Amino acid sequence: MGRGKLRIYLGAAPGVGKTYAMLAEAHRRVERGTDCVVAFVEHHDRPRTEVMLHGLEQVGRREIEYRGAVFTEMDVDAVLRRRPAVALVDELAHTNVPGSRNAKRCQDVEELLQAGIDVISTVNIQHLESLGDVVESITGVRQRETVPDEVVRRADQIELVDMSPQALRRRMAHGNIYKPDRLDAALSHYFRPGNLTALRELALLWVADRVDEYLQQYRGEHNIRSTWQARERIVVGLTGGPEGRTLIRRASRMAAKGSGSEILAVYIARSDGLTSASPRELAVQRTLVEDLGGTFHHVIGDDVPHALLEFARGVNATQIVLGSSRRKAWQYVLGPGVGATVARDSGPDLDVHIVTHDHVAKGRGLPVARGARLGRARIVSGWLVGVVAPALLALLLTSMEHGPGLANNVLLFLFLTVLAALLGGLLPALASAAVGSLLLNYYFTPPTHTLTVSDPKNIVAIVIFFAVAVSVASVVDLAARRTHQAARLRAESEILSFLAGSVLRGETTLDALLERVRETFAMRSVALLERASDVDPWTCAGSVGPDPVTRPEDADVDMPVGDHMALALSGRVLPAEDRRVLGAFAAQAAVVLDRQRLVGEAEGARKLAEGNRIRTALLAAVSHDLRTPLAAIKAAVSSLRSDDVSWSEADEAELLAGIEDGADRLDHLVGNLLDMSRLQTGTVTPLIRETDLDEVVPMALVGVPAESVGLDIPESLPMVAVDRGLLERAVANIVENAVKYSPVGVPVSVAASALGDRVELRVADRGPGVPDDEKDRIFEPFQRYGDAPRGAGVGLGLAVARGFAEAMGGTLTAEDTPGGGMTMVLTLKAVAGHTPVRPGLPARASTRTSTRTSTRTSPRTSSRKAGTP
């Protein structure tokens, strides 16, 4: 029994018609005789969708009781017993009620697929797990129900159900999606045209990427090498030279002309030692292309044009951008160059752009990455010039009726010997000297066509020619090798200085350093291995590249670092001269690993120290601030229970009021302590919603006297994206702190205003104020400023308020109040494009007292002078 096939209808938003399309497909299959059942479809009281369910067999749902209510979920067992050919399962991202067979509906679907049942399902783009943050930033709503992208990507078919934002809003206005009482809220919030357009673009791009994966898979299965120009992909060929930045920027401008274009920068590294590019320049170009939204690729290949074309065709590229050659004119005798070769072999499916730059024809400079060995092409050229060219020269000279003479013939053969030394080194030059001597003797020294020499002068000439040829060849070869050695040392010093500088500045992570090793030595993979002792197994501390080795003995190159660490490289065997640079890389890798671990340990120690400080402060709070109200409560209770004292009703009321006041203070203190612990442990998860500020602020003022606050919040303010509960707690702490330090009879001003894409809530008092150097310190937990009384609290109020503000994406800062005092500025993110308009209300609500519309179960006090809870 094979695995079933999964078909998914993907939409940009609720109401685009996914379920309708799924049901329509089911009717088509039923008409063709396919055994198709409805395993779970939710029509949401939409008449058109409900009608589509008629005529389709529906499997009964399973009822689950949870927290006193009964819920229905898909009955997986019933579907498996029924074993249809096709099952319809709506809302793939749904989270099942606790007590269900599986936690997620996608797991139910997986069971059906494993049983050989084909499944047709639906999902919205906002429910994909990887897009949760993006969707939240667009809509301001965090999706709680998500499905892993891989589940959707593994689907055999994905069909996009598309609809324009205008059409979707019209469908909603006609009542085809939500009931009339929900229309206004939906159209003005989640279903705004901008939101729908952005979600539609996300859906289209996601499906386009999936289609591209299908296309690549198809091309691979059918061995299609030609380019199918489905979308623009621009490959930028880099040499590591300074012109690379110009090429990347030019490619970026080309990509900007077409939506959806991609930039892929590729550097082709030869496999003969250190790469021929400047590591510093390659790092800059990698950063540049990533900043411009492209990707950087590192490919190994000795034939650069062939490797570049293979890469371009492998990624289905449509254009290649190359720079004009930096070679000088005479260097073209060695070949046409990369640009010309790529343009010649690209074929009709690839456009090749040759971009000019400031370094055209200025020379490639020293071969900074080539070793003292000459390349294979130069050695072959040297042997051809040293052996074949003298024979051709001899044929040319013998065909002439009157030759240039023996002296000139010697100079011509000497020139070929020098040229062979320049190209191929010493051995081709020696061979050229030997062949030239024999040819001079046989063809041009009397008696000709014999190897004997009758005139002693000619013998001296041939001997001198051979000696001069060997000497010149030796000097030329030595100079060439010294030049290459100097260039190599320059390359090594540049690599090591860049490496050391980046490590000392802390700019290089272990993975980045290992990637640098892989690129520098043109390796397939690099791994840093370590073990605790000689008998323990090796563990991988970090690796880059495919299939890294797990033991040094399995690597092509291993470089020990100390007794229990090694750098293992796979791909090829390195020459001995490359191991010196590799050793420096290995030592730096060990340093980076140690530094990362020390940073981690230091961070752990810092957290422990912070925890110890908080625990110490907490103990102090428990020993004094918490015991003080407890002592008052106990004294009052003991007095009330005393049998030898007769208390009047007034006295009893006063004692009971003292107990209630002490209990409130304890509740405030414990509440702030719990809030601070949540912030310290990172367990505060705000539920961000669009909220009117004037709906939350009045509720936050319940804990302060009505006459102590003046409220000024315009009704025309835009809505803010906040968690209502956290905002209320933060504002309560700020206001109660301001009231505590404001002079008697002088109300605290609470005013709000809109500034660009944010809303500011300013709480100003006329208290003593705080010096500038203490403004940040007052937001630290367990801090008091000035002469705040010890019994006033543990110093958590403003710390909690700032923590809640930052958790919601806002800020809380302190400023001086003009004329004296302190102003707390709470900045919140405004919801773009929405200003509440309430008919029948004044344009501005301004009052000297707080409006009490609701009560809070646990009002919070605060501490601005870092002194009270």
Side-chain angles (χ1 to χ4, degrees):
M1 179 178 60
R3 175 183 171 87
K5 295 185 179 298
L6 175 62
R7 178 172 183 172
I8 293 178
Y9 286 93
L10 177 70
V16 295
K18 303 179 301 302
T19 304
Y20 190 94
M22 178 179 67
L23 294 173
E25 174 65 18
H27 280 285
R28 285 192 292 270
R29 297 196 182 198
V30 170
E31 291 174 0
R32 295 195 300 264
T34 304
D35 183 15
C36 183
V37 302
V38 176
F40 188 97
V41 169
E42 187 64 63
H43 55 73
H44 298 290
D45 295 327
R46 297 169 185 170
R48 295 176 181 269
T49 306
E50 189 174 1
V51 169
M52 292 296 293
L53 285 170
H54 296 166
L56 297 176
E57 179 186 349
Q58 300 187 44
V59 178
R61 301 184 184 183
R62 180 186 177 191
E63 293 185 351
I64 301 174
E65 185 176 353
Y66 179 66
R67 293 185 176 179
V70 177
F71 300 88
T72 60
E73 295 288 358
M74 181 174 68
D75 194 337
V76 180
D77 292 327
V79 178
L80 292 175
R81 287 194 300 269
R82 173 64 176 77
R83 296 197 61 81
V86 180
L88 307 185
V89 183
D90 204 6
E91 299 178 357
L92 184 64
H94 173 72
T95 301
N96 294 331
V97 175
S100 301
R101 181 189 185 98
N102 295 302
K104 301 284 293 186
R105 185 165 293 167
C106 61
Q107 296 171 327
D108 296 337
V109 169
E110 181 63 25
E111 284 197 40
L112 300 182
L113 295 173
Q114 292 291 346
I117 301 173
D118 293 346
V119 176
I120 304 178
S121 188
T122 64
V123 70
N124 281 328
I125 192 67
Q126 65 263 31
H127 293 296
L128 295 182
E129 199 167 71
S130 66
L131 299 177
D133 294 339
V134 179
V135 173
E136 183 180 8
S137 66
I138 294 171
T139 65
V141 178
R142 182 67 178 184
Q143 297 296 330
R144 300 301 176 186
E145 292 188 331
T146 60
V147 60
D149 290 42
E150 188 59 28
V151 173
V152 183
R153 286 184 179 277
R154 286 201 305 264
D156 299 277
Q157 295 182 58
I158 299 177
E159 183 171 337
L160 178 66
V161 182
D162 189 29
M163 178 175 287
S164 69
Q166 294 78 10
L168 181 57
R169 285 171 59 85
R170 283 196 303 269
R171 175 181 289 183
M172 178 172 292
H174 293 159
N176 295 331
I177 300 177
Y178 291 148
K179 294 182 179 180
D181 58 346
R182 299 177 56 188
L183 285 181
D184 291 340
L187 290 172
S188 61
H189 291 82
Y190 192 90
F191 287 85
R192 293 196 300 268
N195 288 0
L196 297 177
T197 302
L199 292 174
R200 187 188 188 198
E201 183 180 16
L202 278 179
L204 290 170
L205 290 176
W206 195 93
V207 173
D209 288 338
R210 186 69 180 101
V211 171
D212 188 62
E213 292 178 13
Y214 281 132
L215 179 61
Q216 295 290 358
Q217 179 181 352
Y218 180 85
R219 284 163 51 84
E221 291 173 352
H222 293 79
N223 197 27
I224 299 174
R225 304 299 299 164
S226 61
T227 299
W228 290 0
Q229 298 186 7
R231 60 192 280 186
E232 293 293 336
R233 287 186 177 87
I234 304 174
V235 172
V236 184
L238 301 178
T239 64
E243 76 280 1
R245 297 181 230 180
T246 302
L247 303 185
I248 293 171
R249 294 189 180 98
R250 184 69 181 88
S252 177
R253 293 195 296 272
M254 294 168 59
K257 296 179 180 179
S259 179
S261 300
E262 295 183 43
I263 302 175
L264 301 93
V266 58
Y267 171 68
I268 310 296
R270 298 183 186 272
S271 60
D272 59 349
L274 294 175
T275 58
S276 59
S278 165
R280 188 191 307 274
E281 187 62 35
L282 270 183
V284 172
Q285 293 173 15
R286 176 196 291 269
T287 303
L288 176 61
V289 71
E290 290 174 353
D291 290 342
L292 294 175
T295 56
F296 183 91
H297 302 267
H298 183 266
V299 177
I300 300 173
D302 290 321
D303 188 343
V304 175
H306 177 74
L308 181 60
L309 288 171
E310 284 296 307
F311 174 82
R313 294 191 175 104
V315 299
N316 200 27
T318 58
Q319 302 181 58
I320 298 178
V321 176
L322 299 173
S324 298
S325 179
R326 286 184 285 136
R327 298 192 299 176
K328 294 183 180 297
W330 65 268
Q331 291 178 308
Y332 282 96
V333 300
L334 303 177
V338 174
T341 305
V342 171
R344 180 192 65 201
D345 299 339
S346 62
D349 54 347
L350 273 172
D351 297 333
V352 180
H353 304 268
I354 305 298
V355 179
T356 59
H357 49 85
D358 294 337
H359 303 275
V360 175
K362 292 186 178 180
R364 301 174 66 90
L366 294 175
V368 298
R370 302 291 298 275
R373 307 174 313 281
L374 299 175
R376 180 182 302 176
R378 289 189 57 176
I379 293 176
V380 172
S381 301
W383 280 103
L384 290 175
V385 172
V387 177
V388 178
L392 296 176
L393 178 62
L395 291 176
L396 176 63
L397 293 176
T398 55
S399 65
M400 299 173 63
E401 183 177 355
H402 300 288
L406 180 60
N408 292 326
N409 291 341
V410 169
L411 292 177
L412 290 174
F413 280 98
L414 182 61
F415 169 76
L416 293 180
T417 302
V418 174
L419 184 59
L422 288 172
L423 291 176
L426 181 60
L427 292 180
L430 294 178
S432 178
V435 171
S437 300
L438 293 175
L439 292 174
L440 284 171
N441 186 3
Y442 189 81
Y443 287 106
F444 305 108
T445 304
T448 58
H449 303 292
T450 66
L451 294 179
T452 59
V453 180
S454 60
D455 189 349
K457 295 180 180 179
N458 293 334
I459 296 177
V460 174
I462 293 176
V463 170
I464 292 176
F465 161 77
F466 185 80
V468 170
V470 171
S471 301
V472 171
S474 299
V475 172
V476 171
D477 177 73
L478 180 61
R481 290 182 180 274
R482 290 290 171 83
T483 300
H484 284 293
Q485 289 173 356
R488 180 184 179 84
L489 291 176
R490 190 182 76 177
E492 291 181 4
S493 63
E494 183 177 353
I495 291 172
L496 295 178
S497 64
F498 177 75
L499 173 65
S502 61
V503 170
L504 290 175
R505 291 190 300 270
E507 299 174 353
T508 302
T509 62
L510 181 60
D511 288 344
L513 181 62
L514 296 181
E515 181 65 27
R516 183 81 63 196
V517 175
R518 191 175 77 90
E519 293 179 2
T520 300
F521 297 101
M523 287 295 182
R524 185 178 67 254
S525 64
V526 179
L528 183 62
L529 307 176
E530 62 176 349
R531 60 182 178 180
S533 64
D534 294 336
V535 297
D536 290 327
W538 291 94
T539 59
C540 182
S543 64
V544 294
D547 302 323
V549 298
T550 56
R551 300 185 306 169
E553 50 266 30
D554 297 334
D556 294 315
V557 181
D558 70 284
M559 175 61 64
V561 187
D563 296 331
H564 303 121
M565 187 177 292
L567 192 63
L569 292 78
S570 300
R572 64 186 179 86
V573 178
L574 285 181
E577 57 266 29
D578 284 352
R579 293 183 66 88
R580 178 176 58 186
V581 179
L582 180 61
F585 271 108
Q588 292 286 18
V591 171
V592 170
L593 180 61
D594 290 340
R595 191 182 69 240
Q596 287 184 353
R597 289 174 174 172
L598 289 174
V599 169
E601 292 175 1
E603 180 63 19
R606 187 194 65 78
K607 291 182 178 179
L608 288 175
E610 180 68 14
N612 288 333
R613 188 181 70 82
I614 292 178
R615 279 192 292 271
T616 301
L618 180 58
L619 288 175
V622 172
S623 64
H624 187 279
D625 296 293
L626 296 182
R627 290 180 63 185
T628 299
L630 279 175
I633 293 173
K634 182 174 178 55
V637 172
S638 299
S639 299
L640 288 174
R641 296 189 60 187
S642 176
D643 297 332
D644 55 351
V645 179
S646 178
W647 301 100
S648 64
E649 292 184 3
D651 292 335
E652 288 182 357
E654 184 177 354
L655 290 174
L656 290 174
I659 293 173
E660 184 179 13
D661 181 65
D664 287 341
R665 289 181 58 192
L666 281 177
D667 180 63
H668 302 164
L669 291 172
V670 172
N672 271 335
L673 288 172
L674 292 176
D675 290 341
M676 198 66 232
S677 66
R678 291 171 59 204
L679 290 170
Q680 291 288 338
T681 56
T683 57
V684 176
T685 305
L687 179 61
I688 303 298
R689 295 180 179 177
E690 297 179 0
T691 304
D692 288 328
L693 202 60
D694 58 353
E695 294 179 359
V696 179
V697 174
M699 294 191 299
L701 305 181
V702 176
V704 297
E707 66 280 359
S708 62
V709 177
L711 190 61
D712 185 9
I713 299 181
E715 293 289 342
S716 59
L717 280 179
M719 302 181 77
V720 291
V722 295
D723 182 301
R724 295 192 180 190
L726 297 185
L727 177 59
E728 181 183 340
R729 300 274 291 279
V731 174
N733 279 3
I734 297 170
V735 173
E736 291 168 6
N737 178 81
V739 170
K740 189 180 298 295
Y741 287 90
S742 186
V744 178
V746 180
V748 172
S749 172
V750 179
S753 59
L755 295 173
D757 60 349
R758 65 188 189 276
V759 172
E760 284 189 353
L761 182 67
R762 307 177 74 88
V763 180
D765 64 57
R766 293 295 180 177
V770 175
D772 291 340
D773 56 353
E774 296 287 344
K775 283 187 173 62
D776 287 333
R777 181 174 170 269
I778 64 176
F779 294 102
E780 296 179 6
F782 300 107
Q783 296 293 322
R784 292 181 174 87
Y785 174 74
D787 57 351
R790 285 288 299 174
V794 294
L796 287 177
L798 292 185
V800 169
R802 172 175 275 188
F804 284 168
E806 293 176 349
M808 295 183 294
T811 60
L812 178 61
T813 57
E815 298 178 357
D816 291 330
T817 302
M822 178 64 61
T823 298
M824 292 293 171
V825 183
L826 177 61
T827 304
L828 303 171
K829 181 180 179 181
V831 178
H834 182 70
T835 300
V837 178
R838 295 178 175 80
L841 295 178
R844 175 177 296 270
S846 179
T847 178
R848 301 298 296 176
T849 60
S850 303
T851 302
R852 305 296 195 260
T853 58
S854 65
T855 59
R856 293 182 299 132
T857 58
S858 178
R860 298 287 183 255
T861 55
S862 68
S863 159
R864 183 202 66 217
K865 314 298 193 248
T868 55

